[in-house]
């Protein structure tokens, strides 16, 4: 069964800490994504990557960075965690079909991050 | 600009009832449409993906339809069960590029 694995289900971090969220997929997908999900705001795209070492900003990239050194791994970095980054973080992957369109998404199980 | 609306926002039904969840979108130039299920505190689980050239997809008790001309997709759940209680989201994947718009979801509660 194909999978997207997020390394932590729950994290509690202190304000100002540097936080790493890891995501690994085993489907050889070229595209990977980080979303955050908040009540009343839905899913919002933070960053995505369409190839190794490539990254693109999504709708809310401020306060975040990403790293994709290997095809299967996509990391989200909170440079200096703040309380407004308390959220559910979802990683997803996808492959590209004709015309450069995404076929569909496979999501990980999510990381609930609390910044205190 | 693509907008995706899911109605109703919440739904409570007795066990055994057949039900329909709706997803509307404003721009018909879509590539695919995907339905997900999300349990509280968990990630999104893909239920069905409909390509733009298809009219419907079926998996077990689930059937999803797509009508691009009217900007609508429906998810039909037959003989609902308490285990179907979850939030159901639709995602509209636009043609070319990486833009995907997710609906806000319909929260379903199936009473035993």
């Amino acid at each position: 069964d194909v999978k997207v694995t997020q390394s932590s289900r729950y994290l509690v971090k202190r304000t100002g800490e540097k936080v790493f969220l890891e995501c690994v997929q085993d489907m050889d997908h070229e595209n990977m994504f980080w979303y955050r999900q908040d009540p009343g705001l839905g899913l919002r795209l933070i960053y995505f990557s369409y190839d190794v070492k490539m990254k693109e900003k999504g709708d809310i990239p401020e306060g975040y960075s990403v790293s994709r050194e290997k095809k299967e791994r996509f990391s989200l970095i909170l440079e200096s965690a703040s309380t407004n980054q308390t959220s559910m973080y979802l990683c997803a992957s996808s492959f590209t079909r004709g015309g450069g369109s995404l076929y569909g998404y496979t999501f990980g199980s999510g990381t609930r991050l609390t910044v205190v | 600009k693509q907008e995706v609306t899911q109605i109703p926002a919440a739904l409570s039904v007795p066990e055994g009832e057949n039900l329909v969840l709706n997803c509307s979108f404003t721009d018909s130039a879509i590539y695919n449409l995907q339905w997900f299920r999300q349990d509280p505190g968990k990630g999104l689980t893909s239920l069905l993906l409909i390509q733009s050239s298809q009219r419907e997809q079926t998996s077990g008790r689930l059937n999803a339809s797509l009508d691009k001309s009217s900007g609508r997709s429906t998810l039909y759940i037959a003989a609902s069960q308490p285990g179907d209680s979850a939030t159901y989201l639709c995602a509209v994947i636009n043609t070319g590029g990486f833009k995907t718009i997710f609906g806000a979801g319909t929260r379903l509660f199936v009473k035993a």
Side-chain angles (χ1 to χ4, degrees):
Chain A
D1 198 15
V2 294
K3 274 191 174 177
V4 175
T5 302
Q6 294 184 230
S7 55
S8 303
R9 286 296 311 278
Y10 301 95
L11 277 178
V12 180
K13 297 291 182 181
R14 295 193 180 279
T15 301
E17 273 192 79
K18 191 168 186 176
V19 181
F20 294 85
L21 302 183
E22 307 288 346
C23 176
V24 177
Q25 52 100 359
D26 64 1
M27 296 165 283
D28 202 36
H29 286 172
E30 58 267 38
N31 309 301
M32 296 187 75
F33 306 81
W34 277 105
Y35 286 88
R36 66 177 281 178
Q37 185 179 33
D38 301 284
L41 297 176
L43 275 83
R44 293 181 290 169
L45 181 63
I46 305 171
Y47 268 97
F48 66 95
S49 168
Y50 54 89
D51 201 351
V52 176
K53 297 191 184 295
M54 306 305 291
K55 60 185 178 184
E56 292 285 342
K57 293 180 180 179
D59 299 318
I60 51 164
E62 296 78 20
Y64 303 95
S65 62
V66 290
S67 172
R68 189 152 181 218
E69 296 297 318
K70 294 184 177 181
K71 190 175 185 178
E72 67 270 19
R73 186 179 297 270
F74 192 36
S75 303
L76 179 69
I77 304 156
L78 285 66
E79 298 291 343
S80 178
S82 63
T83 54
N84 63 12
Q85 292 179 310
T86 291
S87 186
M88 168 70 92
Y89 289 87
L90 295 166
C91 176
S93 72
S94 179
F95 63 91
T96 304
R97 278 281 176 88
S101 300
L102 299 176
Y103 182 73
Y105 291 84
T106 301
F107 277 85
S109 56
T111 297
R112 168 68 67 181
L113 173 67
T114 302
V115 183
V116 297
Chain B
K1 178 189 170 187
Q2 180 75 272
E3 294 180 5
V4 178
T5 304
Q6 290 190 248
I7 294 173
L11 181 63
S12 180
V13 300
E15 181 177 8
E17 192 162 299
N18 301 326
L19 57 100
V20 173
L21 307 181
N22 296 293
C23 174
S24 301
F25 49 94
T26 55
D27 185 348
S28 62
I30 71 170
Y31 188 68
N32 290 335
L33 188 143
Q34 194 170 6
W35 281 94
F36 295 91
R37 169 190 172 131
Q38 186 176 30
D39 294 289
K42 302 281 183 65
L44 277 66
T45 300
S46 180
L47 298 174
L48 290 164
L49 183 146
I50 310 176
Q51 298 180 61
S52 61
S53 57
Q54 298 174 321
R55 297 283 292 182
E56 64 180 305
Q57 282 284 342
T58 298
S59 176
R61 295 183 294 108
L62 305 179
N63 176 277
S65 68
L66 175 63
D67 184 344
K68 285 175 54 179
S69 61
S70 66
R72 285 192 64 200
S73 177
T74 60
L75 179 67
Y76 175 83
I77 303 177
S80 58
Q81 303 169 358
D84 295 330
S85 299
T87 297
Y88 292 81
L89 295 95
C90 66
V92 175
I93 301 170
N94 286 339
T95 299
F98 296 87
K99 197 62 178 175
T100 298
I101 307 298
F102 288 83
T106 293
R107 187 184 299 180
L108 173 66
F109 180 62
V110 181
K111 298 172 286 187

